[in-house]
Amino acid sequence: NKRVRGVSVFRPFVFGSIAHPFDPEQKPPNCPPDHTHRWEIFVKGVNGEDISYWLKKVQFKLHETYAHNVRSIEQPPFEVSETGWGEFEIQIKLYFVPESNEKPQTLWHSLKLHPYGPDAEGMKERRETVISQNYEEIIFNEPVEPFYEILTGG
Ligand code: SLL
């Protein structure tokens, strides 16, 4: 497969987490008693754009305290929803469509459950949703021709 020389194609996306503390009265059924939050980790397009034409699969590697801690999501929405009590680093591995001939790329995200603030300890008691997300751009340098066609809608 020939590469398109001298060309870089950029594709924007967003990745991150959103966490909600439980209302103590309303814990999900079968939820372990020490869990305090429901959270989601995700990779998605900007403004709801479908990114599955270049992104085929996302593998999220959670903390080892989770059962089946490596979660592979094969189609959008590329997200994992869980409950827990603690913050940790999540490894996010992006797999591209087979036409791309590209190796997977790894990102890291720190799952945030507690709000930032000067009064960090006090804040842990505050019940609010915490969103921690990053805008990112993937760069495909000299993509192979079939992938270039896919990326540019040619
Ligand atoms: C900490 N280093 O001590 C971190 C580890 C682990 C989080 C956080 C529950 C998993 C489960 C969970 O929230 N683990 O019970 O399935 O803060």
Side-chain angles (χ1 to χ4, degrees), residues 4 8 10 29 36 38 48 56 58 62 69-70 93 99-100 102 105 107 117 122 148 150:
V4 185
S8 295
F10 294 76
T36 53
R38 163 163 291 286
K56 179 173 165 51
V58 179
L62 311 181
N69 70 312
V70 180
K93 213 164 161 183
E99 295 86 343
S100 71
E102 298 279 342
Q105 286 197 32
L107 307 167
Y148 180 77
I150 289 171

PDB file of all heavy atoms in Angstrom, residues 4 8 10 29 36 38 48 56 58 62 69-70 93 99-100 102 105 107 117 122 148 150:
ATOM      1  N   VAL A   4       0.651   8.334   1.045  1.00  0.00           N
ATOM      2  CA  VAL A   4       0.507   9.636   0.403  1.00  0.00           C
ATOM      3  C   VAL A   4       1.602  10.528   0.980  1.00  0.00           C
ATOM      4  O   VAL A   4       1.547  10.926   2.142  1.00  0.00           O
ATOM      5  CB  VAL A   4      -0.898  10.238   0.645  1.00  0.00           C
ATOM      6  CG1 VAL A   4      -1.067  11.531  -0.130  1.00  0.00           C
ATOM      7  CG2 VAL A   4      -1.986   9.237   0.242  1.00  0.00           C
ATOM      8  N   SER A   8      -0.207  15.160   6.087  1.00  0.00           N
ATOM      9  CA  SER A   8      -0.645  14.756   7.425  1.00  0.00           C
ATOM     10  C   SER A   8      -2.127  15.066   7.545  1.00  0.00           C
ATOM     11  O   SER A   8      -2.552  16.161   7.172  1.00  0.00           O
ATOM     12  CB  SER A   8       0.096  15.541   8.503  1.00  0.00           C
ATOM     13  OG  SER A   8       1.467  15.231   8.471  1.00  0.00           O
ATOM     14  N   PHE A  10      -5.247  15.405  10.232  1.00  0.00           N
ATOM     15  CA  PHE A  10      -5.564  15.562  11.656  1.00  0.00           C
ATOM     16  C   PHE A  10      -7.030  15.234  11.887  1.00  0.00           C
ATOM     17  O   PHE A  10      -7.870  15.676  11.115  1.00  0.00           O
ATOM     18  CB  PHE A  10      -5.347  17.018  12.089  1.00  0.00           C
ATOM     19  CG  PHE A  10      -3.927  17.464  12.027  1.00  0.00           C
ATOM     20  CD1 PHE A  10      -3.329  17.772  10.801  1.00  0.00           C
ATOM     21  CD2 PHE A  10      -3.184  17.599  13.192  1.00  0.00           C
ATOM     22  CE1 PHE A  10      -2.008  18.196  10.747  1.00  0.00           C
ATOM     23  CE2 PHE A  10      -1.861  18.024  13.140  1.00  0.00           C
ATOM     24  CZ  PHE A  10      -1.276  18.321  11.918  1.00  0.00           C
ATOM     25  N   PRO A  29     -28.625  -1.286  42.327  1.00  0.00           N
ATOM     26  CA  PRO A  29     -28.727  -2.643  42.874  1.00  0.00           C
ATOM     27  C   PRO A  29     -27.423  -3.413  42.625  1.00  0.00           C
ATOM     28  O   PRO A  29     -26.747  -3.176  41.627  1.00  0.00           O
ATOM     29  CB  PRO A  29     -29.891  -3.268  42.095  1.00  0.00           C
ATOM     30  CG  PRO A  29     -30.263  -2.323  41.015  1.00  0.00           C
ATOM     31  CD  PRO A  29     -29.601  -1.010  41.277  1.00  0.00           C
ATOM     32  N   THR A  36     -18.900   4.626  45.958  1.00  0.00           N
ATOM     33  CA  THR A  36     -19.494   5.943  46.223  1.00  0.00           C
ATOM     34  C   THR A  36     -19.940   6.679  44.961  1.00  0.00           C
ATOM     35  O   THR A  36     -20.677   7.656  45.046  1.00  0.00           O
ATOM     36  CB  THR A  36     -18.458   6.839  46.927  1.00  0.00           C
ATOM     37  OG1 THR A  36     -17.257   6.837  46.120  1.00  0.00           O
ATOM     38  CG2 THR A  36     -18.136   6.332  48.325  1.00  0.00           C
ATOM     39  N   ARG A  38     -20.788   6.635  40.493  1.00  0.00           N
ATOM     40  CA  ARG A  38     -20.933   6.036  39.173  1.00  0.00           C
ATOM     41  C   ARG A  38     -20.096   6.887  38.231  1.00  0.00           C
ATOM     42  O   ARG A  38     -20.069   8.113  38.361  1.00  0.00           O
ATOM     43  CB  ARG A  38     -22.412   6.056  38.737  1.00  0.00           C
ATOM     44  CG  ARG A  38     -22.618   5.839  37.235  1.00  0.00           C
ATOM     45  CD  ARG A  38     -24.040   5.452  36.875  1.00  0.00           C
ATOM     46  NE  ARG A  38     -24.331   4.111  37.379  1.00  0.00           N
ATOM     47  CZ  ARG A  38     -23.848   2.984  36.833  1.00  0.00           C
ATOM     48  NH1 ARG A  38     -23.074   3.034  35.763  1.00  0.00           N
ATOM     49  NH2 ARG A  38     -24.157   1.825  37.353  1.00  0.00           N
ATOM     50  N   GLY A  48     -20.448  15.432  18.927  1.00  0.00           N
ATOM     51  CA  GLY A  48     -21.206  14.245  18.516  1.00  0.00           C
ATOM     52  C   GLY A  48     -20.820  13.674  17.158  1.00  0.00           C
ATOM     53  O   GLY A  48     -21.503  12.798  16.637  1.00  0.00           O
ATOM     54  N   LYS A  56     -11.679   2.112  15.114  1.00  0.00           N
ATOM     55  CA  LYS A  56     -12.402   0.834  15.035  1.00  0.00           C
ATOM     56  C   LYS A  56     -12.751   0.280  16.409  1.00  0.00           C
ATOM     57  O   LYS A  56     -13.789  -0.306  16.607  1.00  0.00           O
ATOM     58  CB  LYS A  56     -11.548  -0.182  14.283  1.00  0.00           C
ATOM     59  CG  LYS A  56     -12.200  -1.550  14.181  1.00  0.00           C
ATOM     60  CD  LYS A  56     -11.400  -2.474  13.291  1.00  0.00           C
ATOM     61  CE  LYS A  56     -11.812  -3.931  13.447  1.00  0.00           C
ATOM     62  NZ  LYS A  56     -13.247  -4.148  13.314  1.00  0.00           N
ATOM     63  N   VAL A  58     -11.750   0.607  20.908  1.00  0.00           N
ATOM     64  CA  VAL A  58     -11.037   1.248  22.019  1.00  0.00           C
ATOM     65  C   VAL A  58     -10.942   0.246  23.165  1.00  0.00           C
ATOM     66  O   VAL A  58     -11.940  -0.375  23.544  1.00  0.00           O
ATOM     67  CB  VAL A  58     -11.745   2.536  22.496  1.00  0.00           C
ATOM     68  CG1 VAL A  58     -10.994   3.164  23.670  1.00  0.00           C
ATOM     69  CG2 VAL A  58     -11.888   3.538  21.357  1.00  0.00           C
ATOM     70  N   LEU A  62      -8.740  -0.748  33.128  1.00  0.00           N
ATOM     71  CA  LEU A  62      -9.106  -0.210  34.438  1.00  0.00           C
ATOM     72  C   LEU A  62      -8.151  -0.750  35.503  1.00  0.00           C
ATOM     73  O   LEU A  62      -7.374  -1.673  35.247  1.00  0.00           O
ATOM     74  CB  LEU A  62     -10.548  -0.609  34.783  1.00  0.00           C
ATOM     75  CG  LEU A  62     -11.626  -0.372  33.709  1.00  0.00           C
ATOM     76  CD1 LEU A  62     -12.985  -0.792  34.241  1.00  0.00           C
ATOM     77  CD2 LEU A  62     -11.629   1.078  33.248  1.00  0.00           C
ATOM     78  N   ASN A  69     -10.740  -6.351  34.052  1.00  0.00           N
ATOM     79  CA  ASN A  69     -10.381  -4.922  34.034  1.00  0.00           C
ATOM     80  C   ASN A  69      -9.978  -4.402  32.658  1.00  0.00           C
ATOM     81  O   ASN A  69      -9.860  -3.202  32.480  1.00  0.00           O
ATOM     82  CB  ASN A  69      -9.304  -4.623  35.080  1.00  0.00           C
ATOM     83  CG  ASN A  69      -7.957  -5.203  34.717  1.00  0.00           C
ATOM     84  OD1 ASN A  69      -7.858  -6.372  34.353  1.00  0.00           O
ATOM     85  ND2 ASN A  69      -6.933  -4.397  34.802  1.00  0.00           N
ATOM     86  N   VAL A  70      -9.787  -5.302  31.683  1.00  0.00           N
ATOM     87  CA  VAL A  70      -9.498  -4.824  30.325  1.00  0.00           C
ATOM     88  C   VAL A  70     -10.787  -4.914  29.520  1.00  0.00           C
ATOM     89  O   VAL A  70     -11.330  -5.994  29.313  1.00  0.00           O
ATOM     90  CB  VAL A  70      -8.377  -5.646  29.673  1.00  0.00           C
ATOM     91  CG1 VAL A  70      -8.085  -5.131  28.270  1.00  0.00           C
ATOM     92  CG2 VAL A  70      -7.114  -5.581  30.529  1.00  0.00           C
ATOM     93  N   LYS A  93      -6.412   2.544  24.744  1.00  0.00           N
ATOM     94  CA  LYS A  93      -5.689   2.161  23.535  1.00  0.00           C
ATOM     95  C   LYS A  93      -6.635   2.302  22.344  1.00  0.00           C
ATOM     96  O   LYS A  93      -7.718   1.714  22.328  1.00  0.00           O
ATOM     97  CB  LYS A  93      -5.206   0.715  23.674  1.00  0.00           C
ATOM     98  CG  LYS A  93      -3.902   0.436  23.002  1.00  0.00           C
ATOM     99  CD  LYS A  93      -3.331  -0.872  23.517  1.00  0.00           C
ATOM    100  CE  LYS A  93      -2.296  -1.412  22.558  1.00  0.00           C
ATOM    101  NZ  LYS A  93      -1.791  -2.714  23.008  1.00  0.00           N
ATOM    102  N   GLU A  99      -7.987  -0.636   7.157  1.00  0.00           N
ATOM    103  CA  GLU A  99      -7.454   0.028   5.958  1.00  0.00           C
ATOM    104  C   GLU A  99      -6.316   0.986   6.286  1.00  0.00           C
ATOM    105  O   GLU A  99      -5.538   1.370   5.412  1.00  0.00           O
ATOM    106  CB  GLU A  99      -8.547   0.846   5.247  1.00  0.00           C
ATOM    107  CG  GLU A  99      -9.683   0.038   4.677  1.00  0.00           C
ATOM    108  CD  GLU A  99     -10.785  -0.224   5.702  1.00  0.00           C
ATOM    109  OE1 GLU A  99     -10.540  -0.059   6.922  1.00  0.00           O
ATOM    110  OE2 GLU A  99     -11.892  -0.605   5.274  1.00  0.00           O
ATOM    111  N   SER A 100      -6.232   1.395   7.562  1.00  0.00           N
ATOM    112  CA  SER A 100      -5.267   2.436   7.924  1.00  0.00           C
ATOM    113  C   SER A 100      -3.833   1.915   7.971  1.00  0.00           C
ATOM    114  O   SER A 100      -2.897   2.688   7.806  1.00  0.00           O
ATOM    115  CB  SER A 100      -5.614   3.010   9.291  1.00  0.00           C
ATOM    116  OG  SER A 100      -5.334   2.062  10.301  1.00  0.00           O
ATOM    117  N   GLU A 102      -2.324   1.344  10.483  1.00  0.00           N
ATOM    118  CA  GLU A 102      -1.684   2.066  11.594  1.00  0.00           C
ATOM    119  C   GLU A 102      -1.650   1.191  12.835  1.00  0.00           C
ATOM    120  O   GLU A 102      -2.591   0.456  13.119  1.00  0.00           O
ATOM    121  CB  GLU A 102      -2.464   3.345  11.932  1.00  0.00           C
ATOM    122  CG  GLU A 102      -2.546   4.369  10.817  1.00  0.00           C
ATOM    123  CD  GLU A 102      -1.297   5.228  10.693  1.00  0.00           C
ATOM    124  OE1 GLU A 102      -0.506   5.276  11.662  1.00  0.00           O
ATOM    125  OE2 GLU A 102      -1.126   5.834   9.622  1.00  0.00           O
ATOM    126  N   GLN A 105      -2.594   3.323  19.211  1.00  0.00           N
ATOM    127  CA  GLN A 105      -1.954   4.386  19.997  1.00  0.00           C
ATOM    128  C   GLN A 105      -2.531   4.402  21.402  1.00  0.00           C
ATOM    129  O   GLN A 105      -3.725   4.181  21.589  1.00  0.00           O
ATOM    130  CB  GLN A 105      -2.188   5.753  19.344  1.00  0.00           C
ATOM    131  CG  GLN A 105      -1.353   5.950  18.098  1.00  0.00           C
ATOM    132  CD  GLN A 105      -1.265   7.419  17.693  1.00  0.00           C
ATOM    133  OE1 GLN A 105      -1.283   8.308  18.540  1.00  0.00           O
ATOM    134  NE2 GLN A 105      -1.183   7.662  16.394  1.00  0.00           N
ATOM    135  N   LEU A 107      -3.196   6.263  25.132  1.00  0.00           N
ATOM    136  CA  LEU A 107      -3.389   7.505  25.880  1.00  0.00           C
ATOM    137  C   LEU A 107      -3.616   7.117  27.338  1.00  0.00           C
ATOM    138  O   LEU A 107      -4.014   5.991  27.619  1.00  0.00           O
ATOM    139  CB  LEU A 107      -4.673   8.213  25.453  1.00  0.00           C
ATOM    140  CG  LEU A 107      -4.969   8.524  24.008  1.00  0.00           C
ATOM    141  CD1 LEU A 107      -6.433   8.915  23.893  1.00  0.00           C
ATOM    142  CD2 LEU A 107      -4.080   9.669  23.588  1.00  0.00           C
ATOM    143  N   GLY A 117     -10.115  21.913  44.162  1.00  0.00           N
ATOM    144  CA  GLY A 117     -10.423  23.104  44.940  1.00  0.00           C
ATOM    145  C   GLY A 117      -9.448  23.270  46.062  1.00  0.00           C
ATOM    146  O   GLY A 117      -8.700  22.334  46.388  1.00  0.00           O
ATOM    147  N   GLY A 122     -12.557  18.845  52.311  1.00  0.00           N
ATOM    148  CA  GLY A 122     -13.966  19.227  52.423  1.00  0.00           C
ATOM    149  C   GLY A 122     -14.734  18.922  51.151  1.00  0.00           C
ATOM    150  O   GLY A 122     -15.884  18.491  51.185  1.00  0.00           O
ATOM    151  N   TYR A 148      -6.316   7.283   3.270  1.00  0.00           N
ATOM    152  CA  TYR A 148      -6.440   8.699   2.898  1.00  0.00           C
ATOM    153  C   TYR A 148      -7.805   8.950   2.254  1.00  0.00           C
ATOM    154  O   TYR A 148      -8.473   9.944   2.551  1.00  0.00           O
ATOM    155  CB  TYR A 148      -5.300   9.094   1.951  1.00  0.00           C
ATOM    156  CG  TYR A 148      -5.360  10.545   1.525  1.00  0.00           C
ATOM    157  CD1 TYR A 148      -4.962  11.553   2.393  1.00  0.00           C
ATOM    158  CD2 TYR A 148      -5.847  10.906   0.263  1.00  0.00           C
ATOM    159  CE1 TYR A 148      -5.035  12.883   2.024  1.00  0.00           C
ATOM    160  CE2 TYR A 148      -5.923  12.233  -0.113  1.00  0.00           C
ATOM    161  CZ  TYR A 148      -5.515  13.230   0.762  1.00  0.00           C
ATOM    162  OH  TYR A 148      -5.603  14.540   0.404  1.00  0.00           O
ATOM    163  N   ILE A 150     -10.524   7.255   2.774  1.00  0.00           N
ATOM    164  CA  ILE A 150     -11.548   7.176   3.827  1.00  0.00           C
ATOM    165  C   ILE A 150     -11.567   8.471   4.643  1.00  0.00           C
ATOM    166  O   ILE A 150     -12.618   9.044   4.920  1.00  0.00           O
ATOM    167  CB  ILE A 150     -11.276   5.966   4.754  1.00  0.00           C
ATOM    168  CG1 ILE A 150     -11.568   4.660   4.003  1.00  0.00           C
ATOM    169  CG2 ILE A 150     -12.078   6.044   6.030  1.00  0.00           C
ATOM    170  CD1 ILE A 150     -11.137   3.404   4.744  1.00  0.00           C
TER     171      ILE A 150
END
